[in-house]
Coordinates of all heavy atoms in Angstrom, one line a residue:
M294 N -36.4 -32.0 25.8 CA -34.9 -31.9 26.1 C -34.4 -30.5 25.8 O -34.5 -30.1 24.7 CB -34.2 -33.0 25.3 CG -32.7 -32.9 25.5 SD -31.8 -34.1 24.5 CE -30.1 -33.6 24.8
P295 N -33.9 -29.8 26.9 CA -33.4 -28.4 26.6 C -32.1 -28.4 25.8 O -31.3 -29.4 25.9 CB -33.3 -27.9 28.0 CG -33.1 -29.0 28.9 CD -33.8 -30.2 28.2
A296 N -31.8 -27.3 25.1 CA -30.6 -27.2 24.4 C -29.4 -27.1 25.4 O -29.5 -26.6 26.5 CB -30.6 -26.0 23.5
D297 N -28.3 -27.7 25.0 CA -27.1 -27.6 25.8 C -26.6 -26.2 25.9 O -26.3 -25.5 24.9 CB -26.0 -28.5 25.0 CG -24.7 -28.7 25.9 OD1 -24.8 -28.2 27.1 OD2 -23.8 -29.2 25.4
P298 N -26.4 -25.7 27.2 CA -26.0 -24.3 27.3 C -24.7 -23.9 26.8 O -24.4 -22.8 26.3 CB -26.1 -24.1 28.9 CG -26.1 -25.4 29.5 CD -26.7 -26.3 28.4
I299 N -23.8 -24.9 26.8 CA -22.4 -24.7 26.3 C -22.4 -24.4 24.8 O -21.8 -23.5 24.3 CB -21.5 -25.8 26.7 CG1 -21.3 -25.9 28.2 CG2 -20.1 -25.7 25.9 CD1 -20.5 -27.1 28.7
S300 N -23.2 -25.3 24.1 CA -23.3 -25.1 22.6 C -24.0 -23.8 22.2 O -23.8 -23.2 21.2 CB -23.9 -26.3 22.0 OG -25.3 -26.4 22.4
L301 N -24.9 -23.3 23.2 CA -25.6 -22.1 22.9 C -24.7 -20.9 22.9 O -24.8 -19.9 22.2 CB -26.7 -21.9 23.9 CG -28.1 -22.5 23.6 CD1 -29.0 -22.3 24.8 CD2 -28.7 -22.0 22.4
I302 N -23.6 -21.0 23.7 CA -22.6 -20.0 23.9 C -21.5 -20.1 22.7 O -21.1 -19.2 22.1 CB -22.0 -19.9 25.3 CG1 -23.1 -19.5 26.3 CG2 -20.8 -18.9 25.3 CD1 -22.7 -19.8 27.7
V303 N -21.0 -21.4 22.6 CA -19.9 -21.6 21.7 C -20.3 -21.4 20.3 O -19.5 -20.8 19.5 CB -19.4 -23.0 22.0 CG1 -18.4 -23.5 20.9 CG2 -18.8 -23.2 23.4
A304 N -21.5 -21.9 19.9 CA -21.9 -21.8 18.4 C -21.8 -20.3 17.9 O -21.2 -20.1 16.9 CB -23.2 -22.4 18.2
P305 N -22.5 -19.3 18.6 CA -22.4 -17.9 18.1 C -21.0 -17.4 18.2 O -20.6 -16.6 17.3 CB -23.3 -17.2 19.1 CG -24.2 -18.2 19.7 CD -23.4 -19.5 19.7
L306 N -20.2 -17.8 19.2 CA -18.8 -17.3 19.3 C -18.0 -17.8 18.1 O -17.3 -17.1 17.5 CB -18.2 -17.7 20.6 CG -18.5 -16.9 21.8 CD1 -17.8 -17.5 23.1 CD2 -17.9 -15.4 21.6
A307 N -18.2 -19.1 17.8 CA -17.4 -19.6 16.7 C -17.8 -19.0 15.4 O -17.0 -18.7 14.5 CB -17.7 -21.2 16.7
L308 N -19.1 -18.7 15.3 CA -19.6 -18.1 14.0 C -19.0 -16.6 13.9 O -18.5 -16.3 12.8 CB -21.2 -18.0 14.1 CG -21.8 -17.5 12.8 CD1 -21.6 -18.6 11.7 CD2 -23.3 -17.3 13.0
A309 N -19.0 -15.9 15.0 CA -18.5 -14.5 15.0 C -17.0 -14.6 14.7 O -16.4 -13.8 13.9 CB -18.7 -13.9 16.4
L310 N -16.3 -15.5 15.3 CA -14.8 -15.7 15.1 C -14.5 -16.0 13.6 O -13.6 -15.4 13.1 CB -14.3 -16.8 16.0 CG -12.8 -16.6 16.4 CD1 -12.6 -15.4 17.3 CD2 -12.4 -17.9 17.2
G311 N -15.4 -16.9 13.1 CA -15.1 -17.2 11.7 C -15.3 -16.0 10.7 O -14.6 -15.8 9.8
I312 N -16.4 -15.2 11.1 CA -16.6 -14.0 10.2 C -15.5 -13.0 10.4 O -15.0 -12.5 9.3 CB -18.0 -13.4 10.7 CG1 -19.2 -14.3 10.2 CG2 -18.2 -12.0 10.0 CD1 -20.5 -13.9 10.8
L313 N -15.0 -12.8 11.6 CA -13.9 -11.9 11.8 C -12.7 -12.3 11.1 O -11.9 -11.6 10.4 CB -13.6 -11.7 13.3 CG -14.5 -10.8 14.1 CD1 -14.2 -10.9 15.6 CD2 -14.4 -9.4 13.6
L314 N -12.4 -13.7 11.1 CA -11.2 -14.2 10.5 C -11.3 -14.0 8.9 O -10.4 -13.7 8.3 CB -11.1 -15.7 10.8 CG -9.8 -16.3 10.4 CD1 -8.7 -15.9 11.4 CD2 -9.8 -17.9 10.5
A315 N -12.5 -14.2 8.4 CA -12.7 -14.1 7.0 C -12.5 -12.5 6.6 O -11.9 -12.3 5.5 CB -14.1 -14.5 6.6
L316 N -13.0 -11.7 7.4 CA -12.9 -10.2 7.1 C -11.4 -9.8 7.2 O -11.0 -9.1 6.3 CB -13.7 -9.4 8.2 CG -15.2 -9.4 7.9 CD1 -15.9 -8.7 9.1 CD2 -15.5 -8.6 6.6
A317 N -10.7 -10.3 8.2 CA -9.3 -10.0 8.3 C -8.5 -10.5 7.2 O -7.6 -9.8 6.6 CB -8.8 -10.6 9.6
T318 N -8.8 -11.7 6.7 CA -8.1 -12.3 5.5 C -8.4 -11.5 4.3 O -7.5 -11.2 3.5 CB -8.5 -13.8 5.3 OG1 -8.4 -14.5 6.6 CG2 -7.7 -14.5 4.3
T319 N -9.6 -11.1 4.1 CA -10.0 -10.3 2.9 C -9.3 -9.0 2.9 O -8.7 -8.5 1.9 CB -11.5 -10.1 2.9 OG1 -12.2 -11.3 3.0 CG2 -12.0 -9.4 1.6
Y320 N -9.2 -8.4 4.1 CA -8.5 -7.0 4.3 C -7.1 -7.2 4.0 O -6.5 -6.3 3.2 CB -8.7 -6.6 5.7 CG -8.1 -5.3 6.0 CD1 -8.6 -4.0 5.6 CD2 -6.9 -5.2 6.7 CE1 -8.0 -2.8 5.8 CE2 -6.3 -4.0 7.0 CZ -6.8 -2.8 6.5 OH -6.2 -1.6 6.8
D321 N -6.4 -8.2 4.5 CA -5.0 -8.5 4.2 C -4.8 -8.6 2.7 O -3.8 -8.0 2.2 CB -4.5 -9.7 4.9 CG -4.0 -9.4 6.3 OD1 -4.0 -8.2 6.7 OD2 -3.6 -10.4 7.0
I322 N -5.6 -9.4 2.0 CA -5.4 -9.6 0.6 C -5.6 -8.3 -0.2 O -4.7 -7.9 -1.0 CB -6.4 -10.7 0.1 CG1 -6.0 -12.0 0.7 CG2 -6.4 -10.7 -1.4 CD1 -7.1 -13.1 0.5
V323 N -6.6 -7.5 0.2 CA -6.8 -6.2 -0.5 C -5.7 -5.3 -0.3 O -5.2 -4.7 -1.3 CB -8.1 -5.6 0.0 CG1 -8.3 -4.2 -0.5 CG2 -9.3 -6.4 -0.5
V324 N -5.1 -5.1 0.9 CA -4.1 -4.2 1.2 C -2.8 -4.7 0.5 O -2.0 -3.9 -0.1 CB -3.9 -4.1 2.7 CG1 -2.5 -3.4 3.1 CG2 -5.0 -3.3 3.4
F325 N -2.5 -5.9 0.5 CA -1.3 -6.5 -0.1 C -1.3 -6.2 -1.6 O -0.3 -5.8 -2.2 CB -1.3 -8.0 0.1 CG 0.0 -8.6 -0.4 CD1 1.2 -8.5 0.1 CD2 -0.1 -9.5 -1.6 CE1 2.3 -9.0 -0.5 CE2 1.0 -10.1 -2.1 CZ 2.2 -9.9 -1.6
R326 N -2.5 -6.4 -2.2 CA -2.6 -6.2 -3.7 C -2.4 -4.8 -4.0 O -1.8 -4.4 -5.0 CB -3.9 -6.7 -4.2 CG -4.0 -8.2 -4.4 CD -5.3 -8.6 -5.1 NE -5.4 -10.1 -5.2 CZ -6.5 -10.7 -5.4 NH1 -7.6 -10.1 -5.5 NH2 -6.6 -12.0 -5.5
R327 N -3.0 -3.9 -3.1 CA -2.9 -2.5 -3.4 C -1.4 -2.0 -3.3 O -1.0 -1.3 -4.1 CB -3.8 -1.7 -2.4 CG -4.1 -0.3 -2.8 CD -5.0 0.4 -1.8 NE -6.3 -0.2 -1.9 CZ -7.3 0.0 -1.0 NH1 -7.1 0.8 0.0 NH2 -8.5 -0.5 -1.2
R328 N -0.7 -2.5 -2.3 CA 0.7 -2.1 -2.2 C 1.5 -2.7 -3.3 O 2.4 -2.0 -3.8 CB 1.2 -2.8 -0.9 CG 1.0 -1.9 0.3 CD 1.7 -2.4 1.5 NE 1.2 -1.8 2.7 CZ 1.2 -2.4 3.9 NH1 1.7 -3.6 4.1 NH2 0.7 -1.8 5.0
K329 N 1.2 -3.9 -3.8 CA 2.0 -4.5 -4.9 C 1.7 -3.8 -6.2 O 2.6 -3.6 -7.0 CB 1.5 -5.9 -5.0 CG 2.6 -6.8 -5.7 CD 2.2 -8.2 -5.7 CE 3.3 -9.1 -6.4 NZ 2.8 -10.5 -6.5
S330 N 0.5 -3.3 -6.4 CA 0.2 -2.6 -7.6 C 0.6 -1.2 -7.6 O 0.7 -0.6 -8.7 CB -1.4 -2.7 -7.9 OG -2.1 -1.9 -7.0
K331 N 1.0 -0.6 -6.5 CA 1.4 0.7 -6.4 C 2.8 0.8 -6.8 O 3.7 0.7 -6.1 CB 1.2 1.2 -5.0 CG 1.4 2.7 -4.8 CD 1.3 3.2 -3.3 CE 1.6 4.6 -3.2 NZ 1.6 5.0 -1.7
D332 N 3.0 1.0 -8.1 CA 4.4 1.0 -8.7 C 4.8 2.4 -8.9 O 4.9 3.0 -10.0 CB 4.3 0.2 -10.1 CG 5.7 -0.2 -10.5 OD1 6.5 -0.3 -9.6 OD2 5.9 -0.5 -11.6
E333 N 5.1 3.1 -7.8 CA 5.4 4.5 -7.8 C 6.8 4.8 -7.2 O 7.1 4.2 -6.3 CB 4.3 5.3 -7.0 CG 4.1 6.7 -7.4 CD 2.9 7.2 -6.7 OE1 2.9 7.3 -5.4 OE2 1.9 7.6 -7.3
S334 N 7.5 5.6 -7.8 CA 8.9 5.9 -7.4 C 8.9 7.4 -6.9 O 8.2 8.3 -7.4 CB 9.9 5.8 -8.5 OG 9.9 4.4 -8.9
V335 N 9.6 7.6 -5.8 CA 9.8 8.9 -5.2 C 11.1 9.5 -5.6 O 12.2 8.8 -5.6 CB 9.8 8.8 -3.7 CG1 9.9 10.2 -3.0 CG2 8.5 8.2 -3.2
Y336 N 11.1 10.7 -6.1 CA 12.2 11.5 -6.6 C 12.5 12.7 -5.8 O 11.5 13.3 -5.3 CB 12.1 11.9 -8.0 CG 11.9 10.7 -9.0 CD1 10.7 10.1 -9.1 CD2 13.0 10.1 -9.6 CE1 10.6 9.0 -10.0 CE2 12.9 9.1 -10.5 CZ 11.7 8.5 -10.7 OH 11.5 7.4 -11.5
R337 N 13.7 13.0 -5.5 CA 14.0 14.3 -4.8 C 15.0 15.0 -5.7 O 16.1 14.6 -6.1 CB 14.7 14.0 -3.5 CG 14.8 15.2 -2.6 CD 15.3 14.8 -1.2 NE 15.5 16.0 -0.4 CZ 16.6 16.2 0.4 NH1 17.5 15.3 0.4 NH2 16.6 17.3 1.1
C338 N 14.6 16.2 -6.1 CA 15.4 17.0 -7.0 C 16.7 17.4 -6.3 O 16.7 18.0 -5.2 CB 14.6 18.2 -7.4 SG 15.5 19.2 -8.6
A339 N 17.8 17.2 -7.0 CA 19.1 17.5 -6.5 C 19.4 19.0 -6.6 O 20.2 19.6 -5.9 CB 20.2 16.7 -7.3
R340 N 18.6 19.7 -7.5 CA 18.9 21.1 -7.7 C 18.0 22.0 -6.7 O 18.5 22.9 -6.1 CB 18.7 21.5 -9.2 CG 19.1 22.9 -9.5 CD 18.6 23.3 -10.9 NE 19.4 22.7 -11.9 CZ 19.1 22.6 -13.2 NH1 18.0 23.2 -13.6 NH2 19.8 22.0 -14.0
C341 N 16.7 21.7 -6.7 CA 15.8 22.6 -6.0 C 15.1 21.9 -4.8 O 14.3 22.5 -4.1 CB 14.7 23.2 -6.9 SG 13.4 21.9 -7.4
R342 N 15.5 20.7 -4.5 CA 15.1 19.9 -3.3 C 13.5 19.6 -3.4 O 13.0 19.2 -2.3 CB 15.3 20.7 -2.0 CG 16.8 21.0 -1.8 CD 17.6 19.8 -1.5 NE 19.0 20.2 -1.2 CZ 20.0 19.4 -1.4 NH1 19.8 18.2 -1.8 NH2 21.2 19.8 -1.1
H343 N 13.0 19.7 -4.5 CA 11.5 19.5 -4.6 C 11.3 17.9 -4.7 O 12.1 17.2 -5.3 CB 11.0 20.1 -5.9 CG 9.5 19.8 -6.2 ND1 8.6 20.2 -5.3 CD2 8.9 19.1 -7.1 CE1 7.4 19.9 -5.8 NE2 7.5 19.2 -6.9
I344 N 10.3 17.4 -3.9 CA 10.0 16.0 -3.8 C 8.7 15.7 -4.6 O 7.8 16.4 -4.4 CB 9.9 15.6 -2.3 CG1 11.2 15.7 -1.6 CG2 9.4 14.1 -2.2 CD1 11.1 15.6 0.0
Y345 N 8.8 14.8 -5.5 CA 7.7 14.4 -6.3 C 7.8 12.9 -6.6 O 8.7 12.2 -6.4 CB 7.8 15.2 -7.6 CG 9.1 15.1 -8.4 CD1 9.1 14.2 -9.6 CD2 10.3 15.8 -8.1 CE1 10.3 14.1 -10.3 CE2 11.4 15.5 -8.8 CZ 11.4 14.7 -9.9 OH 12.6 14.6 -10.6
T346 N 6.6 12.4 -7.1 CA 6.5 11.0 -7.5 C 6.3 10.9 -9.0 O 5.7 11.7 -9.6 CB 5.4 10.3 -6.7 OG1 4.2 11.0 -6.9 CG2 5.7 10.3 -5.2
E347 N 6.7 9.7 -9.5 CA 6.4 9.4 -10.9 C 5.7 8.0 -10.9 O 6.1 7.1 -10.2 CB 7.7 9.3 -11.7 CG 7.6 9.3 -13.1 CD 7.1 10.6 -13.7 OE1 7.5 11.6 -13.2 OE2 6.3 10.5 -14.7
H348 N 4.6 7.9 -11.7 CA 3.9 6.6 -11.6 C 4.7 5.5 -12.3 O 4.6 4.4 -12.0 CB 2.5 6.8 -12.3 CG 1.6 7.6 -11.5 ND1 1.1 7.2 -10.3 CD2 1.1 8.9 -11.7 CE1 0.3 8.2 -9.8 NE2 0.4 9.2 -10.6
R349 N 5.4 5.8 -13.4 CA 6.2 4.9 -14.0 C 7.5 4.7 -13.3 O 8.1 5.7 -12.9 CB 6.4 5.2 -15.5 CG 5.1 5.1 -16.3 CD 5.3 5.5 -17.8 NE 5.6 7.0 -17.8 CZ 6.7 7.4 -18.4 NH1 7.5 6.6 -19.1 NH2 6.9 8.7 -18.5
R350 N 8.0 3.5 -13.4 CA 9.4 3.3 -12.8 C 10.4 3.6 -13.8 O 10.8 2.7 -14.7 CB 9.5 1.8 -12.3 CG 10.7 1.5 -11.5 CD 10.7 0.1 -11.1 NE 9.7 -0.2 -10.0 CZ 9.9 -0.1 -8.7 NH1 11.1 0.2 -8.3 NH2 9.0 -0.4 -7.9
T351 N 11.0 4.8 -13.7 CA 12.0 5.2 -14.7 C 13.3 5.5 -14.0 O 13.3 5.9 -12.9 CB 11.5 6.4 -15.5 OG1 11.1 7.4 -14.6 CG2 10.3 6.1 -16.4
P352 N 14.4 5.2 -14.7 CA 15.7 5.5 -14.0 C 15.9 7.0 -13.8 O 16.6 7.4 -12.8 CB 16.8 5.0 -15.0 CG 16.1 4.8 -16.3 CD 14.6 4.6 -16.0
L353 N 15.3 7.9 -14.6 CA 15.4 9.3 -14.4 C 14.0 9.9 -14.7 O 13.3 9.5 -15.6 CB 16.4 9.9 -15.5 CG 17.9 9.7 -15.2 CD1 18.7 10.2 -16.4 CD2 18.4 10.3 -13.9
A354 N 13.7 10.9 -13.9 CA 12.4 11.6 -14.0 C 12.7 13.1 -13.9 O 13.5 13.6 -13.1 CB 11.5 11.2 -13.0
R355 N 12.0 13.9 -14.7 CA 12.2 15.3 -14.8 C 11.5 16.0 -13.7 O 10.3 15.7 -13.4 CB 11.7 15.8 -16.1 CG 12.2 17.2 -16.5 CD 11.7 17.6 -17.9 NE 12.2 16.8 -18.9 CZ 13.4 17.0 -19.5 NH1 14.1 18.0 -19.2 NH2 13.7 16.1 -20.5
C356 N 12.2 16.9 -13.0 CA 11.5 17.7 -11.9 C 10.5 18.6 -12.5 O 10.8 19.3 -13.5 CB 12.6 18.5 -11.2 SG 11.9 19.6 -9.9
P357 N 9.2 18.6 -11.9 CA 8.2 19.5 -12.5 C 8.5 21.0 -12.2 O 7.8 21.8 -12.9 CB 6.9 19.1 -11.8 CG 7.4 18.4 -10.5 CD 8.8 17.8 -10.8
K358 N 9.4 21.3 -11.3 CA 9.6 22.7 -11.1 C 10.8 23.3 -11.8 O 10.7 24.4 -12.4 CB 10.0 22.9 -9.5 CG 8.7 22.8 -8.7 CD 8.9 23.4 -7.3 CE 7.6 23.5 -6.6 NZ 7.7 24.1 -5.2
C359 N 11.9 22.6 -11.9 CA 13.1 23.2 -12.5 C 13.6 22.3 -13.7 O 14.7 22.7 -14.3 CB 14.2 23.3 -11.5 SG 15.0 21.8 -10.9
E360 N 12.9 21.2 -14.0 CA 13.2 20.4 -15.2 C 14.5 19.7 -15.1 O 15.0 19.1 -16.0 CB 13.3 21.3 -16.5 CG 12.1 22.2 -16.7 CD 11.0 21.5 -17.6 OE1 11.4 21.2 -18.8 OE2 9.9 21.3 -17.1
H361 N 15.1 19.6 -13.9 CA 16.3 18.8 -13.7 C 16.0 17.3 -13.6 O 15.0 16.9 -13.1 CB 17.0 19.2 -12.4 CG 18.3 18.7 -12.1 ND1 18.5 17.6 -11.3 CD2 19.5 19.0 -12.7 CE1 19.8 17.3 -11.3 NE2 20.5 18.1 -12.2
Q362 N 16.9 16.5 -14.3 CA 16.7 15.1 -14.3 C 17.2 14.4 -13.0 O 18.3 14.8 -12.6 CB 17.4 14.4 -15.4 CG 16.9 14.8 -16.8 CD 15.7 14.0 -17.2 OE1 15.2 13.2 -16.5 NE2 15.3 14.2 -18.4
N363 N 16.4 13.6 -12.3 CA 16.8 13.0 -11.0 C 16.6 11.5 -11.0 O 15.8 11.0 -11.6 CB 15.9 13.7 -9.9 CG 16.1 15.1 -9.8 OD1 17.2 15.6 -9.3 ND2 15.1 15.9 -10.2
E364 N 17.4 10.9 -10.1 CA 17.2 9.4 -9.9 C 16.2 9.2 -8.7 O 16.2 10.1 -7.8 CB 18.6 8.9 -9.5 CG 19.5 8.8 -10.7 CD 20.8 8.2 -10.3 OE1 21.0 7.7 -9.2 OE2 21.8 8.2 -11.2
P365 N 15.6 8.1 -8.7 CA 14.6 7.8 -7.6 C 15.4 7.7 -6.2 O 16.5 7.1 -6.2 CB 14.0 6.5 -8.0 CG 14.8 5.9 -9.0 CD 15.5 7.0 -9.7
T366 N 14.8 8.1 -5.1 CA 15.4 8.0 -3.8 C 15.3 6.6 -3.2 O 16.1 6.2 -2.5 CB 14.8 9.1 -2.9 OG1 13.4 8.9 -2.8 CG2 15.2 10.5 -3.3
R367 N 14.1 6.0 -3.5 CA 13.9 4.6 -3.0 C 13.1 3.9 -3.9 O 12.3 4.4 -4.7 CB 13.4 4.7 -1.6 CG 12.0 5.4 -1.5 CD 11.6 5.5 0.0 NE 10.6 6.5 0.1 CZ 9.4 6.2 0.3 NH1 8.9 5.0 0.3 NH2 8.4 7.2 0.4
D368 N 13.1 2.6 -3.8 CA 12.3 1.7 -4.6 C 10.8 1.6 -4.1 O 10.6 1.6 -2.9 CB 12.9 0.3 -4.8 CG 14.2 0.4 -5.5 OD1 14.2 1.1 -6.5 OD2 15.1 -0.3 -5.1
Ligands
ZN210 ZN1 13.9 20.7 -9.3

């Protein structure tokens, strides 16, 4: 009895699809975790217009160029 031609095509396709889905899910989880763990604030100096980031989320951060205290521009 020869193998069913439809199952010969469908089985590898289903396997490939399953692997792709697993990879996509893993990628999504990794990217989401990375974004969530990236707790960095962007600051723009009001005095010298220098843009810099601070790893800690602080209400005020000192500008590395002119030492002026600035508030974060966005969360
Ligand atoms: Zn500055």
Side-chain angles (χ1 to χ4, degrees):
M294 182 182 169
D297 188 6
I299 292 173
S300 64
L301 275 177
I302 295 167
V303 169
L306 275 178
L308 188 70
L310 205 67
I312 291 169
L313 280 176
L314 194 70
L316 283 174
T318 306
T319 308
Y320 179 77
D321 269 359
I322 291 168
V323 167
V324 168
F325 180 72
R326 278 186 187 164
R327 198 174 290 166
R328 275 190 195 149
K329 203 175 179 185
S330 68
K331 193 182 175 186
D332 201 21
E333 205 171 65
S334 297
V335 179
Y336 297 83
R337 186 171 182 227
C338 183
R340 189 188 287 167
C341 72
R342 305 285 183 207
H343 179 63
I344 295 168
Y345 57 101
T346 58
E347 193 70 38
H348 291 291
R349 288 177 297 127
R350 189 180 286 269
T351 52
L353 286 173
R355 195 178 298 275
C356 174
K358 285 199 171 182
C359 71
E360 308 265 303
H361 187 259
Q362 294 276 8
N363 298 287
E364 290 180 7
T366 54
R367 60 188 162 98
D368 293 319

